[in-house]
Amino acid sequence: MEKRDPLSYFMQHKGIAALWGGVLLAPFAWALQLGVGYALVDRICESGHSFLHHLLALVALLIAAAGLYLAWHSWHIAGPQWPDSGGDPISRSRFMALGGLMLSVFFTVAIIAQWLPTLILDPCSR
């Protein structure tokens, strides 16, 4: 992997988008799985197949994994160190990337936790 100049990378739109993607993709995937999953329950009960719930969980996991990758990649470009209290773009980028890593891991675990009852229980049981 080539070594990039972190300052020029995080001053460009691509670097800024990667930081925000790392922070926002996993929570978006969790909210998508939660909202669409509830909306699909009636359809799944009518058909008797929970394939759509499994597909939705896999799509949410893929979106969250993309956010995790963007955060990890940004953190390595900024320098894999703990963020300091500096006000420069590298310190801010390191903070956002590490925050994105933590959020992505948390929401990936939340997506898996929401998927487990679908794997074990019948979605139509009351």
Side-chain angles (χ1 to χ4, degrees), residues 50-109:
S50 60
F51 172 75
L52 288 175
H53 262 252
H54 301 305
L55 182 65
L56 178 64
L58 287 175
V59 168
L61 279 174
L62 287 175
I63 293 171
L68 183 64
Y69 172 77
L70 286 173
W72 177 82
H73 184 67
S74 297
W75 188 52
H76 276 278
I77 289 176
Q81 304 157 353
W82 194 256
D84 55 9
S85 61
D88 59 303
I90 302 300
S91 297
R92 288 192 303 265
S93 300
R94 197 173 287 141
F95 174 77
M96 278 187 74
L98 192 59
L101 271 172
M102 290 182 202
L103 281 170
S104 294
V105 168
F106 174 78
F107 280 104
T108 300
V109 170

Side-chain angles (χ1 to χ4, degrees), residues 17-65:
L19 285 171
W20 281 108
V23 170
L24 296 176
L25 276 177
F28 169 76
W30 169 77
L32 179 79
Q33 182 196 18
L34 184 66
V36 175
Y38 277 127
L40 288 176
V41 169
D42 288 337
R43 180 175 294 232
I44 290 171
C45 285
E46 289 173 5
S47 69
H49 302 291
S50 60
F51 172 75
L52 288 175
H53 262 252
H54 301 305
L55 182 65
L56 178 64
L58 287 175
V59 168
L61 279 174
L62 287 175
I63 293 171

